[in-house]
């Protein structure tokens, strides 16, 4: 036996001489033996069928654990198994020579052998060989047979599905074709016949109700961010005072943009540029502005300092501080929670966090306050009738009953919420609708402008609307901003329980109790002192100059204890940083009194009033800047770095971080150090 093995090894190492005629003869002989073997198998199958047996192999022969593939190599293997040891040795040597020939003459074999006589058995493949050719395609183009198109939606392989074990005895051609047709007609896993596993990604289709936090295996990846929409506009340009000496805008106390930026950065990616609204970033932080005196609802505070990113310009910071009335002076509150329970709210960062956030408001309410809950998905409905705020158990139980599922009938939900609020209203009381949603309104809003007009009409009745955003992926920030602005309310984004506490506990009074309506800011710059100016942010709050004195033009609101901060960058006429050339035919600037660089005017209305009041304050340029002003400047720089603004020169992340760290001051809630860490994170992520 050892000698035979040595001879086999020697034969395997020896490369036959390249004799084309001998190679083709050996190949023909192998093919002839192969066809004879298959014919013998067919004859045996026919005999067994005539004897009443099944078309599968004899019961004594086990079915292999894994599928056997049909084809040339399978036939050769079966042929070798039937040989004796001596024949096996000789056959193996022949196969080794045959393999070398196939590799060397591959191109010739694909083109076909020379015109030499071949046995009749090789002129036409047998039925079994034809079946092997169908079962073992030579490439992807034969996946469904020559000239056949693949079924729609089908793939060449279906993940998670195993091929059926091969039948031991070759079946008849008709049965094979029938089985192939059944295989092609079999339903895909997601159909009824073979249900698929739970989907990996959420859709906006109807979903079963979910109460509380989802189980870990039910948590799906967030939806793609390309379905989000943000309210923004082109950055304010530098304006020449000689051409446009007056700047007018509506105040803004929203903070949604900063929370969205934080959520993006902590998730490991930079926020979309359109999500960055610098005024909302600056107004996110509390500042130590002086309280108003007397009966005035708020007080203006001005600071002037060198611009951190341009030594040749100056920053003017304007701060407004609203009065915070005593708790006993607040009127009774009628609060309607309008909760989005559509399928898109199923994510744990949405409806479960929303419930947790709304529960935080309950301890802040008083016995004379009332709460109602309206939910909307495919349709709207009242979940909790008006209930005393002291019945926290009933309110909490109603929140527990909320589950996500269905489409988003936002217009119907708003209409029902306003109806409930009207039923709760009484003279001297405050009515508020607090909409909690991801902004995915997809049912009942064929005309967004009509919806905004409807909200504006309702605010005239005294019921204001504030909007809380939850979750990412399909966040419609643009709709949320439009609703809040037209509803005389605020817009906030809640991504954590801590943010929920900030908005609904620490700032609840400002969100729900109005102090001044339609607050407008107008600054007139002295052309003798200022050649150019740029308002940083407030692009979506810009007003025309004539809107300032028009009491019919809606503007922003200031709630109890609220603050508003705005920043201007100004350039002196003789500054080398001036970007616009003086007009050749421009009029000489009119001499101004004193050294004023500008004049600040504020218009506001008492809640429910039709006529506005006016507050005026000169800006001298000598107003000192404190740590609060410098920190606000650092945050404004933070926002401009995120948007890639062109006004910063070489000033970058290192300078912004240093400025913010040096101006942190007292930071009892950790908001400012969080901002510094976000700057570091944004720097690391890069843009």
């Amino acid at each position: 036996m050892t000698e035979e093995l040595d001879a086999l090894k020697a034969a395997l190492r020896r490369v036959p001489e390249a004799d084309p005629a001998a190679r083709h003869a050996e190949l023909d002989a192998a093919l002839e033996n192969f066809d004879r073997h298959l014919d013998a198998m067919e004859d045996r199958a026919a005999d067994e069928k005539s004897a009443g047996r099944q078309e599968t192999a004899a019961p004594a022969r086990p079915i292999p654990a894994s599928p056997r593939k049909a084809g040339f190599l399978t036939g050769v293997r079966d042929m070798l198994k039937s040989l004796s040891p001596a024949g096996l040795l000789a056959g193996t040597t022949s196969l080794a020579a045959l393999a070398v020939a196939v590799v060397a003459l591959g191109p010739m074999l694909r083109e076909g052998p020379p015109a030499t006589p071949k046995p009749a058995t090789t002129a036409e493949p047998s039925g079994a060989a034809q079946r092997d050719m169908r079962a073992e395609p030579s490439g992807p183009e034969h996946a469904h047979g020559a000239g056949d198109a693949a079924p729609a939606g089908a793939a060449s392989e279906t993940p998670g599905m195993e091929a059926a074990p091969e039948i031991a005895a070759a079946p008849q051609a008709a049965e094979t074709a029938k089985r192939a047709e059944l295989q092609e007609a079999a339903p895909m896993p997601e159909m009824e016949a073979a249900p698929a596993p739970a989907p990996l990604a959420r859709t906006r289709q109807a979903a079963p109700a979910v109460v509380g936090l989802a189980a870990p295996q039910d948590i799906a990846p967030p939806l793609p961010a390309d379905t989000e929409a943000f309210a923004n506009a082109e950055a304010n340009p530098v304006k020449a005072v000689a051409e446009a000496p007056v700047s007018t805008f509506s105040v803004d106390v929203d903070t949604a943009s900063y929370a969205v930026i934080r959520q993006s950065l902590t998730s490991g990616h930079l926020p979309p540029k359109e999500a960055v609204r610098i005024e909302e970033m600056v107004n996110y932080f509390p500042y130590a502005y002086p309280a108003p005196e007397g009966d005035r609802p708020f007080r203006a505070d001005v600071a002037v300092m060198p611009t951190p990113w341009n030594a040749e310009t100056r920053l003017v910071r304007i701060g407004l501080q609203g009065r915070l009335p005593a708790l006993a002076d607040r009127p009774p509150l009628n609060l309607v929670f309008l909760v989005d329970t559509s399928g898109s709210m199923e994510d744990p960062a949405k409806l479960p966090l929303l419930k947790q956030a709304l529960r935080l408001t309950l301890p802040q309410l008083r016995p004379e306050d009332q709460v109602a809950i309206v939910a909307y998905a495919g349709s709207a409905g009242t979940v909790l009738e008006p209930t005393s705020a002291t019945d926290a158990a009933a309110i909490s139980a109603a929140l527990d009953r909320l589950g996500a599922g269905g489409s988003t009938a936002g217009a119907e939900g708003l209409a029902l919420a306003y109806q409930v609020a009207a039923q709760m209203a009484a003279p001297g009381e405050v009515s508020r609708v607090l909409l909690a949603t991801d902004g995915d309104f997809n049912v009942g809003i064929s005309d967004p402008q009509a919806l905004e007009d409807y909200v504006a009409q309702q605010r005239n009745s005294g019921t204001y609307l504030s909007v809380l955003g939850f979750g990412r992926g399909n966040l419609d920030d643009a709709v949320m901003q439009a609703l809040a602005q037209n509803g005389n309310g605020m817009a906030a984004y809640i991504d954590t329980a801590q943010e929920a506490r900030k908005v609904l506990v620490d700032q609840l009074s400002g969100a729900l109790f109005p102090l001044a309506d339609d607050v407008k800011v107008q600054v007139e710059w002295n052309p003798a002192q200022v050649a150019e100016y740029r308002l940083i942010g407030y692009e979506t709050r810009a007003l025309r100059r004539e809107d300032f004195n028009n009491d019919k033009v809606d503007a922003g609101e200031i709630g109890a204890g609220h603050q508003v901060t705005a920043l201007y960058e100004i350039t002196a006429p003789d500054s080398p940083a001036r970007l616009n050339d003086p007009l050749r035919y421009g009029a000489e600037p009119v001499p101004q009194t004193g050294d004023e660089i500008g004049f600040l005017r504020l218009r506001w209305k008492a809640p429910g009033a039709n006529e506005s009041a006016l507050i005026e304050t000169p800006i001298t340029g000598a107003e000192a800047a404190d740590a609060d002003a410098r920190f606000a400047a650092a945050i404004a720089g933070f926002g401009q770095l995120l948007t890639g603004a062109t006004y910063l020169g070489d000033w970058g992340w290192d300078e912004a971080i240093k400025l913010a760290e040096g101006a942190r001051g007292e930071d009892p809630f950790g908001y400012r150090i969080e901002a510094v860490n976000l700057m570091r994170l944004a720097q690391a992520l890069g843009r």
Side-chain angles (χ1 to χ4, degrees):
M1 187 64 182
T2 304
E3 294 178 357
E4 293 178 349
L5 291 176
D6 293 339
L8 176 60
K9 292 180 181 178
L12 292 174
R13 294 193 184 98
R14 185 171 60 251
V15 178
E17 296 181 1
D19 185 352
R23 282 194 293 270
H24 286 299
E26 291 176 356
L27 178 61
D28 291 340
L31 292 173
E32 182 179 359
N33 289 333
F34 172 61
D35 288 336
R36 288 176 180 173
H37 176 69
L38 292 180
D39 290 339
M41 292 177 63
E42 287 186 343
D43 293 340
R44 185 171 61 191
D47 293 341
E48 291 174 351
K49 183 176 181 180
S50 62
R53 295 183 182 182
Q54 295 180 350
E55 293 185 33
T56 57
R61 183 176 180 178
I63 296 177
S66 59
R68 292 176 54 194
K69 296 183 179 179
F72 177 78
L73 295 178
T74 301
V76 173
R77 184 182 65 219
D78 293 340
M79 178 183 67
L80 293 176
K81 288 181 179 179
S82 64
L83 297 176
S84 63
L88 177 63
L89 180 61
T92 305
T93 304
S94 299
L95 286 177
L98 177 61
V100 174
V102 170
V103 173
L105 299 177
M108 293 177 60
L109 292 176
R110 285 193 294 270
E111 295 174 1
T116 57
K118 298 181 66 175
T121 56
T122 60
E124 194 67 33
S126 65
Q130 291 176 351
R131 287 192 295 275
D132 286 344
M133 291 169 64
R134 285 194 300 269
E136 189 76 7
S138 60
E141 65 274 14
H142 302 294
H144 299 278
D148 294 338
S156 59
E157 294 184 1
T158 305
M161 298 181 65
E162 294 184 357
E166 181 186 351
I167 305 300
Q172 296 296 325
E175 292 296 328
T176 303
K178 181 179 180 181
R179 190 168 60 252
E181 292 175 1
L182 292 175
Q183 179 68 20
E184 291 183 357
M188 295 299 289
E190 64 269 22
M191 298 183 182
E192 278 188 13
L200 294 179
R202 303 295 184 196
T203 65
R204 299 186 186 183
Q205 304 301 320
V210 175
V211 177
L213 287 171
Q217 62 269 23
D218 293 333
I219 297 175
L223 292 173
D226 58 9
T227 63
E228 296 184 331
F230 295 94
N232 215 324
E234 292 293 327
N236 289 323
V238 173
K239 294 186 177 182
V241 174
E243 301 172 12
V246 178
S247 171
T248 309
F249 64 94
S250 166
V251 299
D252 188 4
V253 295
D254 297 338
T255 60
S257 178
Y258 180 84
V260 169
I261 292 168
R262 178 183 59 206
Q263 195 278 335
S264 296
L265 292 174
T266 54
S267 297
H269 56 86
L270 291 165
K273 292 183 179 181
E274 60 271 19
V276 179
R277 292 186 292 270
I278 296 177
E279 73 277 7
E280 294 187 19
M281 297 177 65
V282 172
N283 281 302
Y284 182 85
F285 302 90
Y287 303 100
Y289 296 153
E293 300 175 351
D295 295 333
R296 288 191 173 185
F298 54 86
R299 174 177 174 174
D301 185 71
V302 178
V304 181
M305 60 184 169
T307 304
W309 49 84
N310 192 337
E312 303 298 335
T313 64
R314 289 186 289 176
L315 278 186
V316 177
R317 191 235 39 212
I318 298 172
L320 305 180
Q321 174 65 60
R323 185 178 69 248
L324 182 62
L327 183 63
D329 296 336
R330 297 179 187 173
L333 173 65
N334 301 312
L335 182 59
V336 179
F337 291 155
L338 176 55
V339 181
D340 181 353
T341 57
S342 61
S344 63
M345 293 291 292
E346 187 178 8
D347 188 273
K350 296 184 179 182
L351 186 57
L353 179 59
L354 182 156
K355 296 178 183 179
Q356 183 181 7
L358 295 183
R359 283 191 177 93
L360 293 176
T361 65
L362 301 182
Q364 312 303 313
L365 303 179
R366 299 162 301 165
E368 58 266 31
D369 299 333
Q370 292 188 88
V371 174
I373 300 177
V374 173
Y376 66 92
S379 60
T382 302
V383 178
L384 178 70
E385 296 292 340
T387 302
S388 172
T390 58
D391 195 353
I395 300 172
S396 184
L399 290 173
D400 285 337
R401 292 195 298 270
L402 298 176
S407 53
T408 314
E412 186 178 351
L414 279 171
L416 180 57
Y418 278 123
Q419 291 176 12
V420 174
Q423 297 170 5
M424 300 167 68
E429 297 181 350
V430 172
S431 296
R432 293 289 177 269
V433 173
L434 192 60
L435 169 59
T437 178
D438 62 358
D440 182 22
F441 295 86
N442 52 38
V443 172
I445 304 179
S446 57
D447 186 358
Q449 185 58 50
L451 179 64
E452 295 175 16
D453 293 342
Y454 172 73
V455 171
Q457 293 173 2
Q458 294 299 319
R459 81 167 180 243
N460 294 331
S461 68
T463 300
Y464 293 178
L465 172 69
S466 290
V467 185
L468 305 178
F470 291 83
R472 295 294 301 275
N474 55 344
L475 179 68
D476 198 335
D477 171 83
V479 171
M480 292 167 49
Q481 291 286 325
L483 293 178
Q485 290 183 16
N486 285 276
N488 270 17
M490 63 159 226
Y493 173 76
I494 295 179
D495 57 334
T496 64
Q498 180 178 353
E499 183 66 17
R501 178 176 179 81
K502 179 179 185 293
V503 173
L504 295 175
V505 176
D506 299 341
Q507 300 174 347
L508 181 66
S509 295
L512 301 178
F513 296 95
L515 195 63
D517 289 347
D518 295 339
V519 182
K520 307 170 186 175
V521 177
Q522 188 174 79
V523 180
E524 180 183 353
W525 298 105
N526 179 1
Q529 301 291 332
V530 180
E532 297 170 341
Y533 66 91
R534 176 172 69 97
L535 175 60
I536 303 175
Y538 289 94
E539 287 84 3
T540 63
R541 296 283 190 162
L543 296 175
R544 296 172 298 182
R545 180 177 177 179
E546 60 268 26
D547 292 340
F548 183 75
N549 292 322
N550 187 349
D551 286 343
K552 294 183 179 180
V553 175
D554 181 56
E557 287 66 45
I558 295 180
H562 261 160
Q563 297 177 331
V564 179
T565 302
L567 292 166
Y568 282 95
E569 182 177 2
I570 61 173
T571 307
D574 58 350
S575 171
R578 186 170 178 175
L579 298 178
N580 296 287
D581 293 331
L583 294 175
R584 180 179 179 87
Y585 304 107
E588 290 295 325
V590 178
Q592 303 295 316
T593 59
D595 295 326
E596 296 175 0
I597 63 174
F599 199 72
L600 171 64
R601 298 183 180 92
L602 303 173
R603 277 204 176 273
W604 60 280
K605 296 176 184 174
N610 295 321
E611 295 184 0
S612 63
L614 179 65
I615 299 176
E616 297 180 323
T617 304
I619 304 174
T620 65
E623 295 86 353
D626 55 10
D628 279 350
R630 293 193 299 274
F631 186 83
I635 298 301
F638 180 12
Q640 292 176 91
L641 287 170
L642 288 174
T643 59
T646 60
Y647 301 108
L648 301 182
D650 296 332
W651 196 81
W653 289 110
D654 290 335
E655 291 78 10
I657 293 170
K658 182 178 179 181
L659 178 60
E661 284 184 325
R664 277 178 54 193
E666 294 185 7
D667 188 21
F669 301 106
Y671 300 146
R672 297 191 178 188
I673 188 57
E674 178 189 61
V676 173
N677 290 330
L678 290 178
M679 290 183 191
R680 293 193 178 102
L681 187 54
Q683 181 183 30
L685 293 172
R687 182 170 287 281

